[in-house]
């Protein structure tokens, strides 16, 4: 009962059906039980009376099983780097249960990307008239950033960062995608712009061209 035996089979095995697969497993288990029995005799274990319950295959030790019957297991011990930006684009709406205490404090954020969980956001982050006119914001895109997710909660907790604009328009949709993937699309600083040539129009000198590979 402590060992799970998994079978690996290809399309040829599948054509023979489950009966063929069961026969393969039975033969392998018989071989294993015979191997353990021979090892016991070689070690001088003789004259031991075996009851009827002991006649089953002895495969409780995983070390006796072939590698193809073993399933590797592991567990996560540490998160080295969080790859997701924890930011998502989506819509806000009122909670369904208007009589709950949570309704007075939070709204529900529904991400456009369904791989991201729904998020509780404070009403203080929402527009002032959101509670009285929720329909006015039904097609308004917002950026929300996840800050916490408790183990006993079905939804994460987050904060609304900004309003992007109406869904379906190019600029709000583009800004939402760039924010989700952590792309910095802000304007270049004056220090960066000073690194560019100031005397325009600028051309590459012949000496510089001689040192470069021309990929034009």
């Amino acid at each position: 009962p402590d060992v799970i035996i998994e079978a690996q089979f290809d399309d040829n095995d599948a054509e023979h059906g489950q009966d063929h697969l069961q026969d393969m497993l039975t033969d392998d288990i018989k071989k294993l039980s015979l191997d353990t029995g021979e090892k016991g005799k070689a070690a001088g274990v003789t004259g031991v009376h075996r009851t009827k319950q002991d006649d089953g295959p002895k495969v409780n030790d995983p070390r006796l099983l072939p590698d193809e019957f073993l399933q590797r297991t592991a567990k996560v011990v540490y998160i080295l780097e969080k790859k997701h930006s924890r930011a998502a684009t989506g819509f806000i709406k009122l909670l369904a249960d208007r009589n709950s205490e949570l309704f007075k404090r939070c709204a529900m954020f529904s991400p456009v990307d369904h791989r991201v969980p729904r998020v509780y956001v404070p009403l203080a982050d929402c527009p002032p008239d959101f509670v009285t006119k929720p329909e006015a914001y039904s097609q308004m895109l917002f950026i929300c950033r996840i800050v916490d997710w408790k183990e006993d909660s079905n939804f994460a907790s987050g904060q609304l960062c900004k309003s992007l604009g109406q869904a379906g328009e190019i600029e709000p949709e583009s800004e939402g995608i760039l924010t989700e993937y952590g792309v910095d699309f802000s304007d270049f600083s004056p220090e960066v712009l000073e690194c560019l040539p100031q005397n325009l129009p600028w051309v590459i000198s012949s000496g510089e061209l001689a040192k470069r590979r021309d990929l034009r």
Side-chain angles (χ1 to χ4, degrees):
D2 299 330
V3 177
I4 298 176
I5 300 179
E6 293 192 354
Q8 297 178 351
F9 59 97
D10 53 20
D11 294 338
N12 293 329
D13 296 327
E15 292 177 358
H16 295 287
Q18 293 295 329
D19 294 338
H20 175 67
L21 180 59
Q22 185 66 29
D23 294 338
M24 290 174 55
L25 289 174
T26 304
D27 293 340
D28 290 331
I29 292 176
K30 288 180 179 178
K31 292 178 182 178
L32 290 173
S33 61
L34 291 175
D35 291 341
T36 54
E38 292 176 358
K39 290 181 181 179
K41 292 179 180 179
V45 182
T46 58
V48 179
H49 178 69
R50 300 179 62 188
T51 62
K52 190 173 182 179
Q53 295 178 350
D54 296 333
D55 291 336
K58 299 299 182 182
V59 291
N60 287 336
D61 190 350
R63 292 174 297 181
L64 302 177
L65 293 173
D67 291 341
E68 59 266 21
F69 290 153
L70 298 179
Q71 175 65 49
R72 296 180 183 270
T73 60
K75 66 177 181 179
V76 177
V77 296
Y78 188 75
I79 298 176
L80 290 176
E81 181 182 1
K82 295 180 180 180
K83 301 296 291 185
H84 197 275
S85 64
R86 301 301 190 270
T89 306
F91 305 93
I92 56 174
K93 57 184 179 180
L94 295 175
L95 299 181
D97 189 1
R98 296 178 176 269
N99 297 323
S100 64
E101 287 295 326
L102 197 60
F103 179 86
K104 303 176 183 178
R105 296 184 289 107
C106 297
M108 179 64 71
F109 175 82
S110 296
V112 175
D113 187 351
H114 296 292
R115 295 173 299 178
V116 182
R118 287 182 288 178
V119 185
Y120 286 133
V121 294
L123 284 177
D125 294 347
C126 301
D129 58 344
F130 169 68
V131 177
T132 57
K133 298 179 180 179
E135 65 279 356
Y137 300 94
S138 60
Q139 296 300 317
M140 184 75 68
L141 282 176
F142 290 86
I143 287 289
C144 174
R145 192 172 297 276
I146 297 175
V147 296
D148 190 20
W149 195 352
K150 299 184 182 301
E151 295 181 358
D152 58 349
S153 176
N154 293 329
F155 306 106
S157 300
Q159 293 178 344
L160 286 184
C161 298
K162 62 181 297 186
S163 172
L164 296 178
Q166 289 293 324
E169 297 182 1
I170 294 179
E171 291 187 3
E173 297 280 359
S174 300
E175 183 177 349
I177 294 174
L178 294 173
T179 304
E180 287 181 2
Y181 286 92
V183 179
D184 184 6
F185 56 94
S186 59
D187 295 335
F188 289 112
S189 64
E191 291 78 11
V192 174
L193 296 177
E194 288 177 0
C195 297
L196 298 176
Q198 303 300 319
N199 297 324
L200 302 178
W202 177 79
V203 294
I204 302 176
S205 64
S206 57
E208 189 68 28
L209 278 175
K211 299 186 296 183
R212 299 189 182 191
R213 179 187 297 178
D214 194 346
L215 298 177
R216 293 174 295 182

